[in-house]
Amino acid sequence: MATMPTLFISHGGPSIVISDTPARHYLETVSSLVPRPKAIVIVSAHFETHGVTVVTDPKPEMIYDFRGFAPELYEMVYSAPGEPALAERVLELLENAGLSPSRLGKRGYDHGTWTPMKLAFPEADIPIVQVSIDPARDACWHYALGRALAPLREEGVLLVGSGHITHNLRAYFSVLRQGAEVDPALAGKVTAFTDWFAERFAANDLRALLDWKNSAPFPADNHPTDEHLMPIFFAYGAAGEQPKAERVHKSVDNGFFANDSYLFR
């Protein structure tokens, strides 16, 4: 069985599944970028817990964790099954790594999971196990989370981090909903930040990447809070030592909200 790559997705807002955008069309190509996985383990920025939690639910329902969007979004269903046996394997690996995981018997798919998966694997026939982030923990901890689960790549499991390369929602909604002009200075800060990540990934500069809050340009302007960036460190860690990073998608919404995604091999 071929070793699976790992993937970081900028999952966009809930409306990505109905919007005609480059980010949507990229997500529709994801299944062509990777071998067909036996199962998927996904870390979503919208699943926050103290420490790490693994969902063992065999039949996750839907979580519509958003307000004020198109009514049709609240009627969408992504019916991919859970996989309790794989969830137990994930728990074992995390326990062996000293990460003291918890299990959660029932939890639906939040939009950080179901919207990108609905576009990437629309048949909903690949089992999914959900793993949480801890917003109180840093990049090093989430990188270690990925390293702990890296053996699953040899078992045909696709490891996915679903977050966002930038996530300044206050600025985004002021443009999207209030009609404000895009601040050219902020757009420049977004470009500097995303290009820095691309350069550091290309150089496999682990020290700088894990110290992103001190090393990257304009971290607070791009991530007023950290949770949406943490899945990228999970995906990077899950790819093992010295992975090859490929920036498989690059686009911006409303002139500055970046949607970069990465494949790690």
Side-chain angles (χ1 to χ4, degrees):
M1 184 177 293
T3 301
M4 295 292 291
T6 69
L7 186 65
F8 168 73
I9 288 172
S10 289
H11 59 239
S15 59
I16 194 170
V17 293
I18 57 174
S19 300
D20 183 13
T21 63
R24 174 195 171 176
H25 299 311
Y26 155 70
L27 287 172
E28 291 174 329
T29 73
V30 162
S31 64
S32 69
L33 300 178
V34 301
R36 178 175 170 83
K38 176 182 175 182
I40 295 168
V41 171
I42 188 166
V43 168
S44 167
H46 291 274
F47 182 17
E48 299 181 9
T49 61
H50 177 70
V52 59
T53 296
V54 180
V55 178
T56 61
D57 193 343
K59 193 175 180 180
E61 298 179 351
M62 300 294 289
I63 301 175
Y64 303 105
D65 52 339
F66 46 86
R67 293 185 297 172
F69 287 84
E72 64 194 278
L73 294 173
Y74 301 91
E75 299 174 0
M76 290 186 178
V77 174
Y78 190 68
S79 57
E83 181 53 82
L86 175 58
E88 293 300 327
R89 172 81 170 124
V90 170
L91 284 159
E92 177 188 31
L93 289 169
L94 294 173
E95 190 67 49
N96 291 344
L99 290 166
S100 302
S102 301
R103 61 167 45 80
L104 183 59
K106 188 171 181 59
R107 186 184 190 272
Y109 294 135
D110 61 68
H111 86 265
T113 294
W114 73 260
T115 57
M117 293 297 98
K118 188 174 181 66
L119 292 169
F121 301 102
E123 297 84 2
D125 58 353
I126 300 173
I128 295 176
V129 170
Q130 301 174 85
V131 177
S132 70
I133 65 161
D134 182 344
R137 305 291 187 120
D138 62 6
C140 293
W141 188 86
H142 289 90
Y143 177 81
L145 190 69
R147 288 301 302 268
L149 299 188
L152 295 174
R153 297 170 57 222
E154 307 291 340
E155 302 170 22
V157 177
L158 179 63
L159 299 168
V160 179
S162 176
H164 230 282
I165 192 66
T166 65
H167 201 252
N168 188 335
L169 288 186
R170 181 175 182 180
Y172 183 67
F173 284 125
S174 71
V175 172
L176 183 67
R177 294 180 176 174
Q178 299 173 24
E181 294 291 327
V182 174
D183 180 356
L186 180 56
K189 292 176 180 179
V190 167
T191 298
F193 183 82
T194 56
D195 284 351
W196 181 88
F197 265 88
E199 291 163 3
R200 293 304 90 211
F201 278 132
N204 261 319
D205 190 347
L206 179 62
R207 179 177 297 182
L209 287 160
L210 296 184
D211 191 39
W212 69 280
K213 294 190 81 170
N214 295 311
S215 300
F218 314 113
D221 294 284
N222 286 280
H223 286 277
T225 56
D226 298 350
E227 79 288 335
H228 268 74
L229 195 59
M230 293 304 101
I232 202 170
F233 300 112
F234 165 78
Y236 188 46
E241 292 187 19
Q242 298 295 311
K244 179 181 178 181
E246 182 181 358
R247 193 185 199 179
V248 288
H249 179 71
K250 176 184 177 182
S251 68
V252 295
D253 292 337
N254 295 96
F256 76 98
F257 200 72
N259 299 303
D260 292 14
S261 291
Y262 283 88
L263 194 69
F264 300 104
R265 301 183 189 274

